Amino acid sequence: MVSDKQLKEDVFSFLRTQELDKVSRKTVRRHLETKHGLENKAMDDKKQVINDWIQEFVSQQQDDDDDDVDDDPPPPPATKKRKAPAEDAAGDDEKPKVKTQITTRTGVIAPTKGLKEEQKNAMSPQDFEEQAGLLELDVFGNKIVGAPRTFTSSNRGWYAGGKIQVPVGDQLLWAQLGINITIVGSKEWEE
């Protein structure tokens, strides 16, 4: 079994990559189970201690926010209001709100704006073809390899696709995989 010290570090690490108002306690527990190869609901017996760690993390973030001087005005209110999902009596069994989670190799959160402009002169198409390696992924134990390419849109990146086996419950099912990785701004690279 994983030590509490390691679990706490994993909780903090995971929460640093999440929007705190959109992640549930249950999602945190399921993340720990997946990360450590444990059975579903294996972390449920540690609910209280994990909840305490989550609260500790949130408190630290609030303290850090209070220490920061922010000269920027607050963002404008959202134009559309969404209904909050109904919670059960325990407030802990809602479906995960995170559909996709990406942890970058350097641990940074990807910027949302300005990448195209920043990378439009990063290299030439020839440099990309010469320097880009193979895309190699492991998806549910299936080894996926894709070669670098130029898409019909003139963007550069990688594509891999085909049939893979995926475990669902106690069954192994066939699924169709398709993945595109496009370098932002690569369409602008000069020939």
Side-chain angles (χ1 to χ4, degrees):
M1 189 66 166
V2 185
S3 72
D4 280 359
K5 180 180 178 185
Q6 181 62 52
L7 288 174
K8 182 177 180 180
E9 289 174 11
D10 293 341
V11 167
F12 277 48
S13 177
F14 177 69
L15 291 174
R16 282 187 202 98
T17 67
Q18 303 300 308
E19 292 181 45
L20 295 179
D21 58 342
K22 294 184 179 174
V23 68
S24 70
R25 297 175 303 230
K26 182 178 181 181
T27 302
V28 174
R29 290 195 312 275
R30 297 303 168 256
H31 167 76
L32 292 172
E33 292 159 356
T34 301
K35 179 176 176 72
H36 295 289
L38 302 171
E39 291 181 8
N40 193 29
K41 298 189 178 184
M43 287 284 120
D44 285 2
D45 63 336
K46 291 192 167 280
K47 259 186 194 183
Q48 189 55 54
V49 71
I50 291 171
N51 290 346
D52 292 345
W53 294 334
I54 293 168
Q55 186 57 46
E56 180 180 340
F57 179 86
V58 171
S59 295
Q60 286 178 3
Q61 296 303 306
Q62 289 172 340
D63 289 344
D64 289 347
D65 288 347
D66 291 343
D67 293 341
D68 293 341
V69 176
D70 189 4
D71 294 332
D72 295 333
T79 55
K80 289 185 177 180
K81 292 193 176 194
R82 296 182 183 167
K83 285 186 176 181
E87 294 187 44
D88 66 344
D92 200 33
D93 288 332
E94 66 271 10
K95 290 186 178 181
K97 296 177 185 175
V98 177
K99 293 181 180 175
T100 300
Q101 175 185 334
I102 298 175
T103 303
T104 63
R105 63 187 310 149
T106 58
V108 299
I109 296 173
T112 57
K113 294 185 178 184
L115 279 177
K116 182 177 179 181
E117 187 64 29
E118 183 180 319
Q119 294 189 152
K120 72 179 185 181
N121 296 314
M123 63 175 50
S124 71
Q126 295 80 16
D127 290 339
F128 176 77
E129 290 171 13
E130 292 170 7
Q131 297 174 21
L134 292 175
L135 165 67
E136 297 183 40
L137 300 169
D138 180 285
V139 179
F140 296 111
N142 299 276
K143 184 177 179 186
I144 315 298
V145 179
R149 63 173 288 175
T150 300
F151 295 98
T152 56
S153 64
S154 297
N155 282 303
R156 277 69 178 191
W158 295 262
Y159 171 79
K163 303 264 189 295
I164 63 170
Q165 292 181 310
V166 294
V168 180
D170 60 353
Q171 297 185 51
L172 199 55
L173 304 174
W174 285 98
Q176 180 68 36
L177 171 109
I179 184 166
N180 288 323
I181 299 179
T182 306
I183 304 292
V184 178
S186 63
K187 186 176 186 174
E188 312 301 320
W189 295 346
E190 294 181 17
E191 289 290 334

